[in-house]
Amino acid sequence: MTLKCPSCASPIQGDLPFCGKCGTRATPVNTSLACPNCGRTNEPSNQFCPACGTTIGGDVVVKGAAPSASTDRGPELKPTLVLLDRAGQSTNRFPVLSAVTTIGRQGADLNFPDDAYLSPIHAQFVILDGTFTVRDLGSRNGTWVYIEAAHRLNDGDQLLVGSQVLRYRRLGYPGPRPPEQDQTRRLGSLTPNADIANLAQIRADGSARDIVHLSPGRSLRIGREQGEWQFPYDASMSGSHALVRSEDADFVVVDAGSRNGVAVAVRGERTLNDKSRLLIGDQMVRVEIA
């Protein structure tokens, strides 16, 4: 049976059921699979029925990935992705049975065809060497992991605070200004100190709107009603939501006890722990690891 990659259309070599180019699970050509519970016709690559959540795929072992039995490196991980509603209550559970499991709108192992915020193949979960990780697959809207402790910001990090997407940029320290030719001093504010980073509010088209500068020794509070940067129109943001504080020459972001949390967009791979929460498209997911 011929296999092709549903994401990049590359041919699948040998007996490997995943694309060696982009990691997407392969789809057998002109084949369908009925859900044993509700009868819905599914793509053969689906691991779960998107209509009722019934498992319809079998275990997949990828060459070089963690084996399905316990090894000398510790017990086998048994993660479950728990789908949450707006109130944080569980609505469905999806045991992760394969070494690599993709999620998306169509053509993935776990599909949500009605979620317009999901890319067709959005992200993948990987079990390898006793760890459970998530990787964004170049999706349009990103894959977000909610922070559980202070997160040290790196250049290019994107934050989700309420419904606001904020991008962090590191500017570096400015060099000394040469004196004027006629020795005249310039008039200007002496404080705060030099701006070495900023946070920009990002529109849906990727352009920046408001920009707030960050300086050493200066903290920034973000909220709907309190703080130096307020978003009174954002109902999903708490009155006091997040704090960006200066630590030595860096900046960290912490959740200020908000109701909806603070999330960071995944860059590369991100290790997930028991009770980690993610936003993927419009799907809120909690990880449970047995």
Side-chain angles (χ1 to χ4, degrees), residues 29-162:
V29 176
N30 298 325
T31 306
S32 61
L33 186 63
C35 173
N37 182 41
C38 68
R40 183 188 190 278
T41 301
N42 292 274
E43 294 292 330
S45 60
N46 287 8
Q47 184 174 324
F48 305 99
C49 175
C52 67
T54 300
T55 301
I56 58 176
D59 291 347
V60 177
V61 178
V62 181
K63 296 177 181 179
S68 59
S70 298
T71 68
D72 294 337
R73 288 172 292 202
E76 175 194 4
L77 287 182
K78 297 180 179 178
T80 298
L81 302 178
V82 182
L83 195 65
L84 305 176
D85 61 17
R86 298 299 181 189
Q89 301 300 311
S90 172
T91 61
N92 215 333
R93 301 172 64 87
F94 302 99
V96 180
L97 305 177
S98 303
V100 179
T101 300
T102 55
I103 184 172
R105 195 174 70 247
Q106 61 184 21
D109 301 311
L110 182 56
N111 292 292
F112 297 89
D114 297 327
D115 188 344
Y117 292 98
L118 276 173
S119 294
I121 307 292
H122 194 107
Q124 68 179 16
F125 296 94
V126 178
I127 304 173
L128 182 63
D129 292 339
T131 60
F132 187 47
T133 61
V134 63
R135 174 183 288 274
D136 185 80
L137 297 177
S139 68
R140 177 71 54 86
N141 292 311
T143 299
W144 303 85
V145 177
Y146 286 86
I147 63 174
E148 302 167 10
H151 171 78
R152 191 168 300 274
L153 293 169
N154 297 301
D155 184 44
D157 273 356
Q158 292 196 86
L159 306 176
L160 185 63
V161 182

Side-chain angles (χ1 to χ4, degrees), residues 182-195:
D182 59 3
Q183 303 303 311
T184 302
R185 293 184 61 180
R186 287 180 175 269
L187 180 65
S189 301
L190 299 179
T191 58
N193 294 326
D195 299 323

Side-chain angles (χ1 to χ4, degrees), residues 219-230:
S219 296
L220 175 69
R221 295 174 300 160
I222 304 171
R224 190 180 72 251
E225 301 168 345
Q226 303 174 33
E228 292 75 29
W229 202 4
Q230 296 183 18

Side-chain angles (χ1 to χ4, degrees), residues 263-279:
V264 179
V266 173
R267 302 168 69 187
E269 285 188 346
R270 181 78 177 266
T271 299
L272 300 174
N273 304 308
D274 186 39
K275 301 299 188 274
S276 290
R277 287 192 309 134
L278 304 93
L279 181 66

